[in-house]
Amino acid sequence: MRIKYILKNYMVYLGIADHVYIGKPFLKRIKSIGVYSSKHSCTYRTIVDKKKMNGYNAKFITLLVHWNNSQRETEFVSKRVYKELLSAGEVNGIKLMHPLVPEPIDVGCDSKGIYEMVIEVAVVYQPWWSFLRFING
């Protein structure tokens, strides 16, 4: 759960969307980004040296870009979010954020005609309990 909050706060920090939420919102506002746990179930594979990745876990997150009635603007903003995820460094215990898709996925419009795009992300992070090995020796 902590990872979703860190990612939500990172999206707020970027200042791309007017609203950022976790889970199903009461009202879906235009120009918003939703952060969800992904139903992605395969293991995350990376080329990074296993010794460097010791003590890290991967969590799969779905970002829903719910923008406006312009498909072009929604795609532009989604690609901007995608690029920000690729270029992000370490953020509060998150080692890296790696999109699982080559570009944002267009999922069409919602019932009100607002265009939406989805970005699937693998978030590689260091769990809080991994710090205990340094304390206990």
Side-chain angles (χ1 to χ4, degrees):
M1 191 63 120
R2 180 178 162 264
I3 299 303
K4 287 192 286 188
Y5 284 102
I6 292 171
L7 199 54
K8 174 191 178 269
N9 290 337
Y10 182 66
M11 289 293 122
V12 170
Y13 167 77
L14 292 176
I16 296 172
D18 294 343
H19 310 281
V20 182
Y21 59 89
I22 295 175
K24 188 172 180 174
F26 179 68
L27 293 171
K28 258 193 193 173
R29 298 179 178 160
I30 61 169
K31 297 188 178 180
S32 63
I33 297 175
V35 181
Y36 299 91
S37 290
S38 180
K39 293 179 175 60
H40 199 277
S41 62
C42 70
T43 57
Y44 176 67
R45 298 172 196 266
T46 182
I47 300 175
V48 178
D49 184 15
K50 286 199 178 231
K51 289 180 183 176
K52 290 181 182 177
M53 293 303 292
N54 191 17
Y56 287 89
N57 291 339
K59 181 169 180 69
F60 299 101
I61 302 290
T62 299
L63 297 174
L64 175 69
V65 179
H66 177 85
W67 210 247
N68 60 17
N69 58 0
S70 168
Q71 197 274 336
R72 174 185 263 168
E73 287 180 36
T74 305
E75 184 175 3
F76 176 79
V77 170
S78 298
K79 286 184 177 182
R80 184 172 167 208
V81 171
Y82 187 90
K83 287 178 185 176
E84 290 290 346
L85 291 172
L86 282 175
S87 64
E90 291 191 34
V91 179
N92 292 344
I94 293 178
K95 187 76 170 170
L96 64 98
M97 293 176 266
H98 186 262
L100 298 172
V101 290
E103 63 182 16
I105 300 167
D106 186 358
V107 292
C109 296
D110 67 357
S111 60
K112 296 180 182 175
I114 305 299
Y115 283 93
E116 297 178 326
M117 295 192 92
V118 168
I119 304 170
E120 295 280 338
V121 183
V123 179
V124 179
Y125 67 99
Q126 189 168 17
W128 65 270
W129 61 83
S130 66
F131 295 106
L132 294 177
R133 67 181 173 168
F134 298 114
I135 296 170
N136 294 331

